[in-house]
Amino acid sequence: MAAIQDIKEIEWALQVMKSGAHNLQSISFFLSQQSSNCFQETENSININITTQTLPHFSQLLKFLAATPENDTSLSSLDFHLVEWELHLVNDLRTLLDNNRSIRQVTFKRNKFDAECLSELSDSLRRNTCIKDLVFSESKIGSEGAAFLASSLRDNSTLEELQIWEDSIGSKGAEELSKMIETNSTLKLLTIFDSKSFTATPLISSVLARNRSMEVHIWSGAHNGKISKAVEFAPENGTLRVYNLDPSGACRVICSLGRNTTVRSLDMTGLRLKTRWAKELRSVLEQNRTLKEVNLSNTCLKDKGIVYIAAGLFKNRGLEKLYLDGNSFGAIGIEHLLCPLSKFSPFQNQANTSLKSITFGGGRTKFGKDGISAFLKMLISNETITHIGIHEDESLKPDDIVGIFKTLERNTTLRRFSLRGCKGVRGELVFQTIIETLNVNPWIEDIDLARTPLHISGKSEAIYQRLGQNEKTEPEIDLLKDMAMAMPKSCRVFLCGQEYSGKSTLCNSISQNISPSKMPYLDEIRILVNPVEQAVRTPGMKIKPFKDEDTNISIWNLAGQHEEYSLHDLMFPGHGSASFFLIVSSLFRKPSNRESKTPTEIEDDLHYWLRFIVSNSKRAVNQCMLPTVAMVLTHYDKVNHHQSDNSLRETITLIQGLRDKFQDFVDFYPTVFTVDARSSASVSKLSHHIRKTSRTILQRVPRVYQLCNDLVEILSDWRQQNQNKPLMKWKEFGELCQIKIPFLRIRSRNDNREMVEMRRRAVATSLHHIGEVVYFDELGFLILDCGWFFSEVLSQLIRLDVRKQSSTANNRFVCRQDFEKILVPGLGSNVTDNMEANDVIKMMLKLELCCEQDPSNPDSLLLIPSVLEEGRWKPQRWPILLSPDNNYNYVGRHLRCDDSSHVFLTPGFFPRLQVHLHNKIMGLRNQQHGASYSLEKYLISININGVHIRVELGGQFGHSVDVLACSTKSPTEMLRLFQNLVIPAIHSLCQGFTLVECVLRSECVKNLTPHRYRRRSQFVPLQQLKRALLSVPADSIYDYQHTWDSVTESGSTIIGPGFDFARELLSDDDFREVLHCRYHDLYNLAVELQLPQENNPGGSGGEIAAAAAASIEPTFAGIAKGVEEVLQRLKIIEQEIRDVKQEIRGLRYYETALLIELHRKVNHLVNHNTQIEERKVPNMFYFVRTENYSRRLITTVISGMAAMRMHMLCEFRGEMHVVEDQIGCELMQVDNVTVKFLAPYMKKFMKLLTFALKIGAHLAVGMGELIPDLGREVAHLIDSPVLYGAAGAAAVGAAGAAVAANRSRNTRDIQQDLVPAQQWVVDFLKDQRCSTGKDIAEKFGLWRVRYRDDGRIAWICRRHVCTRSHDIIEVPI
């Protein structure tokens, strides 16, 4: 009865599966049960219990499930419990799995398989493409079953999870599974629960070696029966945790990480590791780039193992966190561990820069003395560690903790410092040191003092409170605003002089005289032993400092060798610097003989240095006072006074002439010192002068912040503490400011760090200006020893013979690597021990001592002007093949110093220009299509877009630069290239003085005539040429020719006479500028004459004004555009010429109408008031002042002017002119009354007169010679808001000021304005006893006449009286 009931229950299960109404997803089979039944566990799952007697039903169910169509079932999970598999059952299961593709999970729990069944099941799994999860639990598959599974899963590409619970697959099975993992890339989860821990080793090693993204969990049983996890790997966060492995297994696992990219965190805490394992870890650290964190806490590592780990850190570039606390290593291990994290030289790079956090310590870790030293060295030099932990340490004493925190004052990278459980963190001294460190170092965010004696005593709360204050944002205030100002304490004395002048000996004597040493004066003893002075030049520049009470005086001995001259500009003091100059010249050509210098040679020496001082002082910004100069003549003891008295007197006379010449540019000391440089007694007066002048200058120069004076002392102390280092990195300067200078300290982590850095740079720049340091902002260091920098670095740089040692120097460019190799032996160990070769190159680039061929390439070739050879002895020619078919144009500009007697282009100018211009051209490379650049000693050759340019220096110590160009392009295109590129670069290096632009003769440019011939009347100032064009009538402008004189030498003609059209010498832009200036002159004259618009036959003035005001669009493409077609350019040029000629015709038409009106107005002005004394005196007068043997027209009068002469013009109508050899009357001084009477006249008449002269109207013949600069005079007459200046306006009072300022007076009757001036002339001539016709004829050469046609009176010259007698009648007074 019971059996029948069981069959029914099984049949019910079959009916349920047939109907499909329950949507079964999971079926669990339980065999070997006491009764057969089935029940529905959930809505979608069913449990079927089968007894041993009803086992055929199990097979029947499997077959039924296999026969069910795939679309009629949703079955996804099968669980088999307590099944003893036979071959026919496995076949049924295989059929089921093959036919039903919806099954995803199969679980075997406490099943039994024989080898044949396992083989059949593995074959099924090999072909199956649906199962995702396979679980064996307590099924005793063993190593044989694991091998079958591994074999099937090698080919399976769908299974994702494999779990083997509470089974022992053995080492063989584990190895087989590991081989499967090597080929199977779809498995995502591997869970093994084995009785032996060694099972984990091959499995996890294979996963790691093949970079499988497979989650791994491996458990093992211990001897005591406890179950523990052996290995765990989570690929989602890349964490590998090893809990229990034997030493050999640990080694195998760590070896698999060499090329691994999936593990980012390795945790082996508590695992007992051997030295061999650490050795393998070294290789992993050297190879692996993705491992970020390694935790080796409490792993029993000793010194040798730590040494291996440290070796791996040297090449590691990925590890960020390392935990080594709880291990048993000492000072040796600590030293090696911290070595890759430290720097032992300023030029050494930190080996490991990726590690950010390191933790060590523990009761078994012993620092020792060497370990403490290594730790402090790491804190000082490391720039990457942000977190350091020292946990549970018992070896550190309170003094060690104090030293650590003192060192942290200069560390700006550490953010968190943990001293958890350290016994040495105790005592008041430790507490105060931590607080002081936090006051200086705001970057530390957290200090962990848990379980320390300081924490237990309750003092850590104050530390945490201070850490919180460092996090607050301090209010923005200007710390330098209220700082005290003080007088500088340092003054520099520059010794200037030629070689062999005795500067070095003089410097030693002055130093001994001012600051005598206790030791014998060695130089003096040497001279006494060998009284014959050796003619040996002192190489390089030398700086000798000494102290005079509280004043620091340093003598800067400028090297007299010519090769050093290019560096002198770099030593010149900046604005506001306390300094003065001693110009030293020897009375003899060489000290070793008695050949005296001539007075002219001495004058030339002094003249050169005076011009050098003036030229550089003009370049200085905000010059607060004139340079102070004293002159010193050496070797006076060798002078034969009986034979040289005349020569000395002539020398003194020439020196006095130099004083008179330079008195407006330098402040001379009146006494010329004549000394024996070897004798301290002889230089005593000079030494006294230096001491006195130093104090005076220090009182006169601008005050500096007291901080600068304090910093000088602080930097001096720093040098003494650092082996007298001549150079300081910017990071070291920042640390010094943070510790020693509260005003330059970053007080909070949230402070504006850029603002503090800006203040520090400002202070460093101020120290640079006063000569205490040499500071380069971009390079990141300060030169503290200026003498070392100039003598050991710069002087040696210019002496390097690069050409012989570098194979690439033949093309004038040097390979960077070759140059670095030359620098090391060339500069010597004193330089290379303090500066890297790359730093020297960066410094040279900053000082423009060299340039890079391609700045975008880090390995670019270098161009060093100091190694260039002079090529002037070579034949000079253009680098193009000229042929008759090519129509080349030639243009040239000559730039010369406006005041060449006082300033000149210093020897350092042209090398800097070579570098500066090269950098500018390379910066525009993207805009230029094909630019080449080559150099010689005094030559720059450029080729841009088919334009060949030569920039030449006018002599080694020249006063000029010539810019020449040759191209098939038009002169306008070449000159635009000049104005946009070359000339601005030249002007940028000549700040402070003016370079006059002159036009070079085209023939000189074409033939590359040598400089000595070009300077002889073969150039004309550009503005002078423009003025010449403005002085001719409008119809003569286009065809105006400038004539050139010939140049001869020794009777032979070098360059013959010739001419060039002005339009060919000027660019289109310049020529248009001349035309526009002419138009504006005509327009202003028309306004002055009040010419109505209808009287302008040339068109409306508004149209011409609009045309003049409109900007002229460039005729040709800019320099960045390519070469245009020649035919197209010719058409454009022809059109431009037609446009220019048309514009000239319009101007000429306009000019004719204006001249007619001008003469009418002037004639009316001459005769406007016949009632004043019946024209008993002339009306047309002017004033002249004599300056430098030439006469200058006075266009304005100011109260206080003196020594002027009044002259009269011949008033013959239409032919007014200056009377030659006219005596005139002298006006001793102009008072306020005179200014008041003459103001209207000077404004009206002189303006008309000057306009007339500018447009070439010849209104007053001869007057133009009295106006050297017409443009300046007209600008003064027209544009000045107060015509007579401040003094004149105050003198004239309200009436005069109104006349000067109010232009609306142009509409007022001119006759009323000139009445006071004519009355003043009458009164003035009476005072001069020149009121009769005879007196006027005698002093002014004018006679009173009447015109026959209209009866008007005029005063005319004798020539007109004779030649125009038929038009006039003499009317004598």
Side-chain angles (χ1 to χ4, degrees):
M1 192 69 181
I4 296 174
Q5 181 67 26
D6 289 343
I7 293 173
K8 288 183 178 179
E9 291 177 354
I10 295 296
E11 290 176 351
W12 176 83
L14 289 173
Q15 291 296 329
V16 170
M17 288 185 282
K18 286 180 180 180
S19 64
H22 291 76
N23 191 23
L24 290 179
Q25 296 180 2
S26 174
I27 301 178
S28 298
F29 295 94
F30 292 83
L31 272 69
S32 302
Q33 300 298 309
Q34 294 181 357
S35 61
S36 296
N37 56 58
C38 61
F39 63 91
Q40 189 170 357
E41 185 177 13
T42 65
E43 182 181 355
N44 304 112
S45 64
I46 187 172
N47 289 354
I48 301 176
N49 298 322
I50 301 176
T51 64
T52 306
Q53 291 78 9
T54 58
L55 189 61
H57 290 87
F58 176 55
S59 177
Q60 183 181 0
L61 289 171
L62 293 178
K63 292 178 179 179
F64 174 79
L65 291 174
T68 303
E70 184 177 352
N71 296 332
D72 296 339
T73 181
S74 58
L75 186 64
S76 62
S77 176
L78 291 175
D79 292 350
F80 300 96
H81 299 260
L82 300 171
V83 178
E84 296 182 3
W85 292 92
E86 297 178 2
L87 184 60
H88 70 280
L89 294 177
V90 173
N91 289 331
D92 292 340
L93 176 62
R94 176 176 179 176
T95 303
L96 170 61
L97 296 178
D98 291 342
N99 295 340
N100 195 323
R101 305 178 64 84
S102 64
I103 298 176
R104 296 289 183 265
Q105 180 179 355
V106 179
T107 301
F108 300 96
K109 187 173 183 179
R110 299 176 68 183
N111 287 224
K112 291 183 179 179
F113 297 91
D114 57 18
E116 190 176 5
C117 291
L118 286 173
S119 175
E120 190 69 19
L121 180 61
S122 65
D123 288 340
S124 176
L125 292 175
R126 179 180 289 108
R127 296 192 303 270
N128 189 281
T129 59
C130 301
I131 298 178
K132 302 294 184 183
D133 187 357
L134 182 62
V135 180
F136 291 90
S137 176
E138 300 179 71
S139 297
K140 299 180 181 180
I141 61 173
S143 60
E144 187 177 13
F148 281 122
L149 285 176
S151 175
S152 64
L153 294 181
R154 287 192 185 99
D155 300 327
N156 185 285
S157 60
T158 58
L159 189 69
E160 295 180 355
E161 297 182 10
L162 174 62
Q163 303 180 47
I164 302 176
W165 291 91
E166 298 186 31
D167 202 346
S168 179
I169 61 175
S171 60
K172 182 180 178 181
E175 293 292 346
E176 292 296 329
L177 286 177
S178 69
K179 294 176 182 178
M180 177 270 296
I181 292 172
E182 292 180 1
T183 59
N184 188 306
S185 61
T186 59
L187 203 60
K188 302 300 180 185
L189 174 64
L190 177 63
T191 304
I192 305 292
F193 186 178
D194 202 288
S195 60
K196 304 296 182 181
S197 62
F198 58 75
T199 306
T201 300
L203 295 174
I204 190 63
S205 298
S206 181
V207 170
L208 300 177
R210 288 296 180 179
N211 288 313
R212 301 304 185 201
S213 296
M214 180 188 304
E215 185 177 349
V216 178
H217 301 276
I218 302 178
W219 279 267
S220 64
H223 296 291
N224 55 9
K226 292 183 179 181
I227 298 174
S228 63
K229 206 169 193 178
V231 175
E232 178 184 55
F233 175 55
E236 64 273 7
N237 56 14
T239 302
L240 173 64
R241 293 183 177 91
V242 181
Y243 300 99
N244 182 20
L245 283 181
D246 58 11
S248 62
C251 288
R252 182 173 177 180
V253 171
I254 198 64
C255 289
S256 65
L257 291 175
R259 300 294 181 182
N260 181 272
T261 59
T262 59
V263 178
R264 293 187 293 277
S265 175
L266 172 64
D267 187 353
M268 306 191 79
T269 303
L271 196 65
R272 190 176 184 86
L273 300 175
K274 301 292 185 180
T275 301
R276 178 189 169 194
W277 181 91
K279 185 177 181 180
E280 300 297 340
L281 178 61
R282 170 190 175 176
S283 300
V284 171
L285 292 176
E286 291 176 349
Q287 300 175 46
N288 193 290
R289 293 293 181 268
T290 59
L291 191 61
K292 301 299 180 183
E293 179 179 348
V294 174
N295 192 337
L296 302 178
S297 301
N298 302 309
T299 52
C300 303
L301 288 172
K302 297 183 180 180
D303 283 330
K304 192 172 182 180
I306 299 298
V307 169
Y308 280 122
I309 295 174
L313 291 177
F314 273 99
K315 294 184 178 180
N316 182 272
R317 295 296 179 268
L319 190 65
E320 296 179 357
K321 296 181 181 180
L322 178 61
Y323 300 91
L324 293 170
D325 52 307
N327 289 285
S328 304
F329 56 91
I332 295 176
I334 292 175
E335 282 187 278
H336 285 79
L337 178 64
L338 301 180
C339 183
L341 306 176
S342 307
K343 291 195 300 183
F344 301 91
S345 167
F347 309 116
Q348 176 191 3
N349 293 324
Q350 184 177 311
N352 185 294
T353 58
S354 63
L355 195 65
K356 307 299 180 186
S357 173
I358 184 169
T359 303
F360 49 91
R364 291 174 292 177
T365 301
K366 306 298 179 184
F367 269 82
K369 183 178 179 181
D370 294 336
I372 287 291
S373 298
F375 186 66
L376 296 180
K377 183 67 178 177
M378 187 271 291
L379 290 180
I380 292 174
S381 59
N382 185 277
E383 298 177 352
T384 57
I385 295 292
T386 60
H387 179 273
I388 296 177
I390 303 176
H391 294 168
E392 309 297 338
D393 181 82
E394 299 178 0
S395 63
L396 291 174
K397 305 303 179 186
D399 290 342
D400 300 328
I401 302 297
V402 169
I404 290 173
F405 277 97
K406 283 289 186 184
T407 305
L408 284 177
E409 291 180 349
R410 289 176 285 176
N411 188 297
T412 60
T413 57
L414 190 65
R415 297 295 180 266
R416 291 176 174 81
F417 188 30
S418 176
L419 293 171
R420 187 186 310 159
C422 292
K423 305 303 181 184
V425 186
R426 66 178 186 270
E428 184 65 24
L429 181 59
V430 172
F431 172 75
Q432 292 297 334
T433 304
I434 295 176
I435 294 296
E436 291 174 2
T437 300
L438 294 179
N439 289 336
V440 171
N441 188 335
W443 309 114
I444 299 178
E445 299 175 2
D446 181 53
I447 299 179
D448 186 0
L449 300 177
R451 301 196 302 274
T452 63
L454 206 63
H455 175 72
I456 296 172
S457 65
K459 291 186 176 181
S460 60
E461 291 299 326
I463 296 175
Y464 296 143
Q465 184 179 2
R466 187 65 186 86
L467 283 169
Q469 293 175 358
N470 281 353
E471 191 175 358
K472 296 179 180 178
T473 302
E474 296 290 339
E476 287 289 342
I477 57 175
D478 188 357
L479 295 179
L480 299 179
K481 182 177 180 181
D482 299 324
M483 284 184 55
M485 305 294 290
M487 184 178 72
K489 293 184 178 180
S490 301
C491 183
R492 289 183 285 175
V493 183
F494 289 89
L495 285 185
C496 308
Q498 308 294 337
E499 55 186 347
Y500 302 117
S501 60
K503 298 190 300 298
S504 299
T505 307
L506 181 64
C507 181
N508 291 330
S509 299
I510 293 173
S511 176
Q512 180 67 15
N513 195 285
I514 295 179
S515 181
S517 61
K518 296 181 181 179
M519 297 295 293
Y521 185 28
L522 299 181
D523 291 334
E524 192 168 340
I525 293 175
R526 190 179 299 113
I527 291 171
L528 292 175
V529 173
N530 184 12
V532 179
E533 186 173 358
Q534 299 298 318
V536 178
R537 302 186 302 175
T538 303
M541 309 176 190
K542 301 295 181 183
I543 300 177
K544 194 172 188 65
F546 50 87
K547 198 171 185 67
D548 177 35
E549 297 178 356
D550 60 341
T551 303
N552 298 318
I553 301 176
S554 57
I555 299 181
W556 294 48
N557 181 5
L558 301 186
Q561 296 86 348
H562 286 286
E563 59 268 22
E564 305 269 2
Y565 279 16
S566 61
L567 301 178
H568 288 169
D569 293 347
L570 302 177
M571 302 181 68
F572 198 85
H575 65 277
S577 174
S579 57
F580 62 98
F581 301 86
L582 296 180
I583 302 180
V584 183
S585 180
S586 174
L587 293 170
F588 294 84
R589 291 196 173 98
K590 286 189 178 181
S592 57
N593 56 40
R594 295 283 180 172
E595 187 177 359
S596 300
K597 284 184 180 178
T598 65
T600 303
E601 289 176 325
I602 297 175
E603 181 191 28
D604 291 341
D605 288 350
L606 301 177
H607 193 204
Y608 169 83
W609 290 108
L610 285 172
R611 289 189 299 166
F612 167 79
I613 294 170
V614 173
S615 300
N616 277 288
S617 64
K618 283 183 172 292
R619 290 174 51 230
V621 184
N622 299 328
Q623 186 179 3
C624 59
M625 63 181 189
L626 295 177
T628 302
V629 175
M631 299 185 184
V632 181
L633 300 179
T634 57
H635 301 112
Y636 185 70
D637 55 302
K638 299 181 180 181
V639 174
N640 187 335
H641 297 282
H642 296 289
Q643 300 177 0
S644 304
D645 286 345
N646 293 333
S647 178
L648 283 175
R649 281 195 295 270
E650 186 178 353
T651 299
I652 297 300
T653 301
L654 293 176
I655 291 176
Q656 184 59 43
L658 289 176
R659 283 180 179 166
D660 296 339
K661 184 177 181 179
F662 285 88
Q663 62 181 353
D664 295 332
F665 300 93
V666 296
D667 184 6
F668 280 105
Y669 185 68
T671 302
V672 177
F673 295 95
T674 54
V675 299
D676 174 11
R678 299 171 298 175
S679 170
S680 294
S682 178
V683 301
S684 59
K685 292 183 179 180
L686 178 59
S687 302
H688 177 74
H689 166 72
I690 292 175
R691 299 169 65 179
K692 182 179 178 181
T693 306
S694 297
R695 295 191 185 97
T696 302
I697 289 178
L698 288 173
Q699 294 172 359
R700 294 172 57 190
V701 296
R703 296 293 185 262
V704 298
Y705 289 117
Q706 178 62 42
L707 174 63
C708 292
N709 289 335
D710 297 340
L711 256 177
V712 172
E713 301 297 331
I714 293 173
L715 292 175
S716 178
D717 295 340
W718 183 88
R719 288 195 65 197
Q720 293 178 3
Q721 297 169 5
N722 291 272
Q723 294 81 40
N724 218 25
K725 285 178 60 177
L727 179 141
M728 173 186 257
K729 296 288 185 181
W730 182 252
K731 179 178 179 292
E732 296 173 321
F733 181 74
E735 294 172 355
L736 192 65
C737 293
Q738 188 71 22
I739 297 172
K740 299 289 186 180
I741 308 169
F743 287 104
L744 299 178
R745 180 177 296 167
I746 300 173
R747 296 164 294 159
S748 166
R749 289 192 296 276
N750 296 320
D751 265 1
N752 189 340
R753 189 170 185 178
E754 289 76 14
M755 182 66 70
V756 179
E757 283 292 309
M758 184 179 67
R759 293 169 187 151
R760 291 175 179 175
R761 292 190 186 97
V763 172
T765 303
S766 179
L767 291 174
H768 174 85
H769 286 319
I770 63 178
E772 294 296 341
V773 301
V774 179
Y775 170 57
F776 300 102
D777 189 6
E778 295 85 353
L779 305 187
F781 54 79
L782 295 86
I783 306 294
L784 304 183
D785 189 346
C786 298
W788 169 84
F789 176 65
F790 286 111
S791 61
E792 299 293 336
V793 181
L794 293 186
S795 293
Q796 297 301 324
L797 280 176
I798 64 173
R799 289 188 173 88
L800 292 177
D801 194 352
V802 179
R803 293 185 296 272
K804 292 182 179 180
Q805 304 183 50
S806 175
S807 59
T808 60
N810 294 330
N811 61 356
R812 301 178 178 87
F813 281 90
V814 182
C815 176
R816 181 185 288 263
Q817 289 76 15
D818 291 346
F819 187 56
E820 290 181 355
K821 293 177 183 178
I822 298 170
L823 282 177
V824 175
L827 294 177
S829 60
N830 192 26
V831 177
T832 55
D833 289 347
N834 293 282
M835 293 182 71
E836 292 181 332
N838 191 44
D839 287 337
V840 176
I841 294 175
K842 290 181 180 178
M843 178 201 63
M844 295 177 66
L845 292 171
K846 171 65 178 177
L847 296 176
E848 294 187 335
L849 297 177
C850 72
C851 57
E852 296 175 308
Q853 186 182 39
D854 182 7
S856 61
N857 182 8
D859 297 324
S860 171
L861 298 177
L862 299 175
L863 177 61
I864 307 173
S866 61
V867 307
L868 297 175
E869 297 179 348
E870 185 173 1
R872 291 183 176 177
W873 55 272
K874 303 176 183 177
Q876 298 296 310
R877 59 178 178 270
W878 289 103
I880 53 177
L881 181 62
L882 299 179
S883 64
D885 298 334
N886 293 329
N887 186 19
Y888 287 94
N889 295 313
Y890 300 89
V891 294
R893 290 294 184 262
H894 174 82
L895 304 176
R896 59 182 177 86
C897 296
D898 188 24
D899 186 9
S900 59
S901 61
H902 297 105
V903 297
F904 70 127
L905 302 177
T906 59
F909 163 78
F910 202 73
R912 290 201 314 275
L913 177 63
Q914 290 174 316
V915 174
H916 183 73
L917 195 55
H918 174 273
N919 293 338
K920 191 169 183 178
I921 291 176
M922 293 299 107
L924 298 175
R925 172 175 286 184
N926 294 333
Q927 303 177 23
Q928 307 294 342
H929 302 285
S932 63
Y933 192 90
S934 62
L935 300 179
E936 292 180 7
K937 189 71 172 178
Y938 302 111
L939 172 66
I940 304 173
S941 298
I942 311 169
N943 186 354
I944 299 180
N945 297 335
V947 179
H948 300 274
I949 302 175
R950 291 171 60 97
V951 183
E952 303 177 355
L953 179 67
Q956 184 176 1
F957 300 109
H959 312 108
S960 62
V961 176
D962 290 347
V963 185
L964 319 176
C966 168
S967 176
T968 56
K969 295 188 176 184
S970 68
T972 297
E973 289 179 283
M974 292 187 283
L975 290 173
R976 281 177 182 165
L977 191 58
F978 284 7
Q979 297 299 329
N980 293 332
L981 182 64
V982 182
I983 294 180
I986 296 173
H987 282 299
S988 65
L989 298 180
C990 298
Q991 298 178 359
F993 54 89
T994 305
L995 290 179
V996 178
E997 183 177 350
C998 304
V999 180
L1000 272 172
R1001 184 176 179 178
S1002 300
E1003 186 177 350
C1004 293
V1005 178
K1006 179 179 180 179
N1007 300 324
L1008 294 179
T1009 305
H1011 289 274
R1012 62 181 182 276
Y1013 303 129
R1014 292 184 211 160
R1015 294 197 297 267
R1016 303 181 187 178
S1017 67
Q1018 298 305 298
F1019 61 83
V1020 58
L1022 177 62
Q1023 295 303 322
Q1024 179 180 329
L1025 184 59
K1026 290 181 179 180
R1027 288 197 299 269
L1029 285 174
L1030 289 171
S1031 66
V1032 300
D1035 55 357
S1036 301
I1037 292 179
Y1038 187 80
D1039 296 324
Y1040 180 82
Q1041 299 175 357
H1042 181 82
T1043 58
W1044 306 102
D1045 295 335
S1046 61
V1047 177
T1048 59
E1049 185 177 64
S1050 302
S1052 60
T1053 301
I1054 306 299
I1055 307 174
F1059 69 89
D1060 284 313
F1061 286 104
R1063 65 175 184 269
E1064 296 176 353
L1065 296 175
L1066 301 176
S1067 66
D1068 290 352
D1069 302 328
D1070 290 332
F1071 201 73
R1072 289 287 176 85
E1073 180 186 347
V1074 171
L1075 298 181
H1076 293 166
C1077 288
R1078 170 55 63 89
Y1079 164 75
H1080 286 297
D1081 291 339
L1082 295 174
Y1083 180 78
N1084 290 327
L1085 184 58
V1087 172
E1088 190 66 28
L1089 297 175
Q1090 303 173 19
L1091 185 67
Q1093 290 295 326
E1094 58 271 13
N1095 291 343
N1096 179 7
S1100 67
E1103 294 176 358
I1104 299 178
S1111 59
I1112 304 300
E1113 291 295 331
T1115 303
F1116 310 113
I1119 60 172
K1121 296 181 180 178
V1123 179
E1124 298 179 359
E1125 295 293 336
V1126 176
L1127 184 58
Q1128 181 69 18
R1129 189 185 303 114
L1130 289 176
K1131 291 180 180 179
I1132 296 175
I1133 293 173
E1134 291 174 359
Q1135 182 61 42
E1136 285 293 319
I1137 293 174
R1138 287 194 294 268
D1139 292 344
V1140 170
K1141 290 185 175 181
Q1142 181 65 33
E1143 189 171 351
I1144 291 175
R1145 282 195 293 269
L1147 286 176
R1148 181 56 184 162
Y1149 196 48
Y1150 189 29
E1151 182 180 291
T1152 302
L1154 286 175
L1155 289 180
I1156 296 173
E1157 181 65 15
L1158 176 64
H1159 284 293
R1160 187 184 67 80
K1161 284 290 181 80
V1162 172
N1163 290 332
H1164 179 69
L1165 184 64
V1166 173
N1167 301 286
H1168 80 278
N1169 195 346
T1170 58
Q1171 302 301 322
I1172 297 180
E1173 299 290 337
E1174 296 181 359
R1175 295 283 279 114
K1176 291 185 177 179
V1177 295
N1179 279 348
M1180 299 294 101
F1181 62 91
Y1182 62 94
F1183 295 99
V1184 171
R1185 175 183 288 176
T1186 302
E1187 294 179 355
N1188 299 327
Y1189 307 102
S1190 64
R1191 296 189 304 166
R1192 183 179 180 85
L1193 179 66
I1194 302 300
T1195 57
T1196 61
V1197 287
I1198 299 175
S1199 179
M1201 296 178 67
M1204 299 191 305
R1205 297 195 70 84
M1206 186 178 74
H1207 292 272
M1208 302 287 189
L1209 292 172
C1210 171
E1211 300 173 354
F1212 193 86
R1213 55 190 178 189
E1215 298 183 22
M1216 186 183 300
H1217 66 90
V1218 174
V1219 181
E1220 297 293 334
D1221 301 327
Q1222 190 179 86
I1223 299 175
C1225 290
E1226 184 173 5
L1227 177 61
M1228 298 300 296
Q1229 187 168 6
V1230 177
D1231 55 17
N1232 292 344
V1233 176
T1234 304
V1235 172
K1236 183 177 180 180
F1237 281 113
L1238 296 182
Y1241 177 84
M1242 299 300 289
K1243 179 183 179 183
K1244 296 292 184 181
F1245 177 68
M1246 287 301 171
K1247 187 185 297 185
L1248 290 176
L1249 186 64
T1250 311
F1251 279 137
L1253 293 173
K1254 285 198 67 177
I1255 67 172
H1258 301 293
L1259 184 64
V1261 177
M1263 186 66 73
E1265 299 175 357
L1266 305 177
I1267 308 179
D1269 189 350
L1270 287 171
R1272 186 182 304 169
E1273 294 299 331
V1274 172
H1276 179 70
L1277 280 169
I1278 299 174
D1279 299 328
S1280 177
V1282 181
L1283 185 60
Y1284 308 105
V1292 237
V1299 171
N1302 189 359
R1303 297 197 58 167
S1304 64
R1305 296 278 312 267
N1306 288 331
T1307 60
R1308 184 177 173 180
D1309 188 1
I1310 193 174
Q1311 301 174 2
Q1312 298 299 322
D1313 285 339
L1314 301 187
V1315 169
Q1318 294 170 343
Q1319 187 59 52
W1320 178 86
V1321 172
V1322 173
D1323 296 338
F1324 174 73
L1325 292 179
K1326 286 182 179 179
D1327 294 340
Q1328 296 291 323
R1329 297 181 180 179
C1330 184
S1331 57
T1332 66
K1334 181 180 179 182
D1335 296 333
I1336 293 176
E1338 183 177 322
K1339 290 202 173 199
F1340 298 101
L1342 300 176
W1343 281 261
R1344 188 168 179 264
V1345 299
R1346 185 187 303 274
Y1347 293 111
R1348 295 179 182 270
D1349 51 1
D1350 56 11
R1352 293 188 177 184
I1353 300 295
W1355 289 82
I1356 65 175
C1357 65
R1358 173 53 64 185
R1359 179 173 61 84
H1360 279 117
V1361 170
C1362 298
T1363 59
R1364 300 301 182 96
S1365 58
H1366 57 284
D1367 294 329
I1368 59 171
I1369 302 173
E1370 289 195 41
V1371 188
I1373 299 178

